[in-house]
Amino acid sequence: MTNSVLAAGVEGSNPTLNISIFAVFVVVTLVIVFRASRSTKTTTDFYAAGRAFTGPQNGIALSGDYLSAASFLGIAGAIAVYGYDGFLYSIGFLVAWLVALLLVAELLRNTGRFTMADVLSFRMKQGPVRTAAAISTLAVSLFYLLAQMNGAGGLVALLLGVTSTAGQAVVVAVVGVVMLIYVLVGGMKGTTWVQIIKAVLLILGAFVMTVWVLGRYGFNLSALLGDAVAHGGKTGEALLGPGKQYGATGTSRLDFLSLGLALVLGTAGLPHVLMRFYTVPTAKEARRSVVWAIVLIGIFYLFTLVLGYGAGALVGPETINSAPGKVNSAAPLLALALGGPVLLGLIAAVAFATILAVVAGLTITASASFAHDIYVNVIKKGDRESAKAEVKVARWSAVVIGLLAIVGGIATNGQNVAFLVALAFAIAAAANLPTILYSLFWKRFTTTGSLWSIYGGLAITIGLIIFSPVVSGEKTSIFPAAHFDWFPLSNPGLVSIPLSFLLGYLGTVLGKDKADETKYAEMEVRSLTGAHAEKAVQH
């Protein structure tokens, strides 16, 4: 999402109203974070909120973590312009949660303590595997952070009428500072409450707009779809069937398959999503978390169907495409068409809250990975004295990561950073998921297999992205004048994910180290029963 994403929505916007709404949200959430900080004393409190959240509470927070502003703005716009093909994004994002529910949620919660590396290193050599997992976590988190920070800066700057580069840099810095306060003061508990509030606001905002749009058509979905087709121009009929966006060539179909594979499999490997499973006291609550998340996310994506076709009908694909932000402008333009500056201000505030909550979740995940995995378990070899300083190191790590995110957000200001989100999902799918699944389900899996899978998946994914049309060769590329786009797909998932699984297998078969079958048996019992996990509850 670039700085021009909402330029079309600025006309008719009221900067004073917008900043008032933003300020109310920030003040309310800061009060909650400071209240949460009173009980944030131990490492478990800071990383896992004392494992005090119920399944429904964590499920709402999970949906808040997952429903980013980019997906809210992007999916509604994709449906408005591409119809059926745009809605496939919603389906892909939702199906991804079934992978998380069926394969990783409960098992991860039972096996680990705070981070993904706890699981991956359980029966492997601690140092090398923890380091690799931490590097992968930091890579995913940082790319995600850059995109979200850049989006937040562009969103707020444009709605407040800030046009200068220096002014936009200040906005990015302010967003980063507020996010750091959430993390440093409230830890996971404060961040979780921010995500719960944000999820409720986002779903309520989408619900209000959905009812408003349907009300315009007498709550007749067929009438809405018919009007969207009528305003779709010569290709309006194509909005109701597949192929408008992904169907012109064989490459575009492969591109969609590759993107879909990365999204569906990447979700179960996203470190900030996986870390949320540790905030509940039992495996049962971990399962309930995911069920609640699936229900809420499913409802939200049904709303995007109405919002997308509503934007197509009431605003029109031509107007949306002529806006500087193109498809990403659809939701704000629809809000402006429905309720004027007031609704636009509220929806923009919700989008801002969304970005802020996701950024806070990413920062605490990245800082936990450095402090818990690298500092305590690799550098200090699990020394008890170092464990006492772990929260302090995590807080300093959060400051460094936050500053990097602010600098990165300012540096990428005005550039196309959409590829960063796709890259984050692709890295998670290629570097993290194969290693997680092999660790949990394959008895023979070894340290060598883990390292080949993580580092290989990371290198292949980043390499293919660099040589794809996302970076060079097309008008929408980051370097449109350059031409080193020999890899034809915009997302490397179709190639990098199978290769990462293959590397994990080859590393295990060809490597000289042997699997620790005793440790695997212990891990299997622990993952399936929850025995010996923190706050374990026997049923």
Side-chain angles (χ1 to χ4, degrees), residues 3 153-154 157-158 161-174 409-410 413-414:
N3 275 349
L158 285 165
V162 179
T163 54
S164 68
T165 304
Q168 290 170 356
V170 170
V171 170
V172 171
V174 170
I410 294 169
N413 193 14

Side-chain angles (χ1 to χ4, degrees), residues 98-117:
L98 296 178
V99 179
L101 173 64
L102 297 173
L103 293 179
V104 300
E106 180 184 350
L107 304 181
L108 273 173
R109 190 264 153 210
N110 289 342
T111 310
R113 288 185 68 215
F114 301 130
T115 65
M116 178 182 73

Side-chain angles (χ1 to χ4, degrees), residues 22 109 118 159 299 357 426 434:
F22 291 160
R109 190 264 153 210
D118 287 336
L159 286 162
I299 290 169

Side-chain angles (χ1 to χ4, degrees), residues 89-457:
Y89 280 90
S90 294
I91 296 168
F93 278 124
L94 183 59
V95 168
W97 274 100
L98 296 178
V99 179
L101 173 64
L102 297 173
L103 293 179
V104 300
E106 180 184 350
L107 304 181
L108 273 173
R109 190 264 153 210
N110 289 342
T111 310
R113 288 185 68 215
F114 301 130
T115 65
M116 178 182 73
D118 287 336
V119 178
L120 300 187
S121 65
F122 188 91
R123 59 191 183 96
M124 310 295 174
K125 289 179 183 175
Q126 291 281 316
V129 175
R130 277 194 184 275
T131 303
I135 289 170
S136 176
T137 296
L138 290 169
V140 174
S141 300
L142 196 57
F143 281 113
Y144 232 124
L145 274 169
L146 291 181
Q148 296 292 331
M149 290 295 288
N150 189 286
L155 174 69
V156 180
L158 285 165
L159 286 162
L160 300 184
V162 179
T163 54
S164 68
T165 304
Q168 290 170 356
V170 170
V171 170
V172 171
V174 170
V175 170
V177 169
V178 174
M179 168 269 293
L180 274 175
I181 293 171
Y182 287 161
V183 174
L184 295 176
V185 176
M188 180 59 93
K189 189 169 285 186
T191 302
T192 299
W193 281 115
V194 172
Q195 285 162 338
I196 288 171
I197 294 166
K198 164 254 163 160
V200 171
L201 287 174
L202 183 62
I203 293 169
L204 277 178
F207 172 72
V208 168
M209 287 179 67
T210 299
V211 172
W212 205 322
V213 169
L214 288 174
R216 288 278 190 100
Y217 293 92
F219 293 93
N220 186 334
L221 187 60
S222 295
L224 168 61
L225 296 176
D227 202 20
V229 168
H231 285 84
K234 295 177 182 178
T235 58
E237 286 290 339
L239 290 169
L240 301 183
K244 186 165 185 186
Q245 184 181 11
Y246 297 103
T249 64
T251 302
S252 68
R253 291 178 183 179
L254 279 177
D255 224 346
F256 179 70
L257 182 61
S258 189
L259 175 65
L261 193 65
L263 294 179
V264 168
L265 297 181
T267 299
L270 288 174
H272 67 291
V273 171
L274 298 177
M275 194 169 172
R276 292 231 57 86
F277 297 135
Y278 299 126
T279 64
V280 292
T282 66
K284 182 182 178 183
E285 293 300 307
R287 289 195 300 274
R288 289 181 71 201
S289 294
V290 185
V291 171
W292 270 78
I294 288 173
V295 170
L296 292 173
I297 292 166
I299 290 169
F300 177 82
Y301 284 140
L302 286 177
F303 291 159
T304 62
L305 181 68
V306 176
L307 296 179
Y309 279 112
L314 299 173
V315 180
E318 196 173 317
T319 305
I320 293 167
N321 273 325
S322 63
K326 298 191 183 298
V327 294
N328 293 317
S329 305
L333 286 171
L334 177 61
L336 194 59
L338 290 173
V342 175
L343 187 60
L344 172 61
L346 289 169
I347 293 302
V350 166
F352 171 69
T354 296
I355 292 171
L356 205 52
V358 172
V359 164
L362 286 163
T363 303
I364 200 166
T365 300
S367 65
S369 186
F370 178 82
H372 180 66
D373 298 322
I374 294 180
Y375 175 75
V376 172
N377 287 291
V378 176
I379 297 174
K380 295 294 185 179
K381 311 288 186 189
D383 177 57
R384 285 189 177 184
E385 289 302 312
S386 67
K388 292 177 183 177
E390 190 172 342
V391 173
K392 189 176 180 181
V393 174
R395 286 195 164 109
W396 278 110
S397 303
V399 171
V400 173
I401 291 158
L403 291 174
L404 284 174
I406 290 169
V407 171
I410 294 169
T412 57
N413 193 14
Q415 291 187 28
N416 178 5
V417 293
F419 83 100
L420 295 172
V421 174
L423 181 55
F425 268 88
I427 291 172
N432 294 346
L433 188 64
T435 319
I436 290 170
L437 294 181
Y438 278 145
S439 295
L440 290 170
F441 299 110
W442 190 19
K443 184 188 292 187
R444 290 179 56 200
F445 193 50
T446 63
T447 298
T448 303
S450 297
L451 298 178
W452 282 30
S453 183
I454 295 172
Y455 286 129

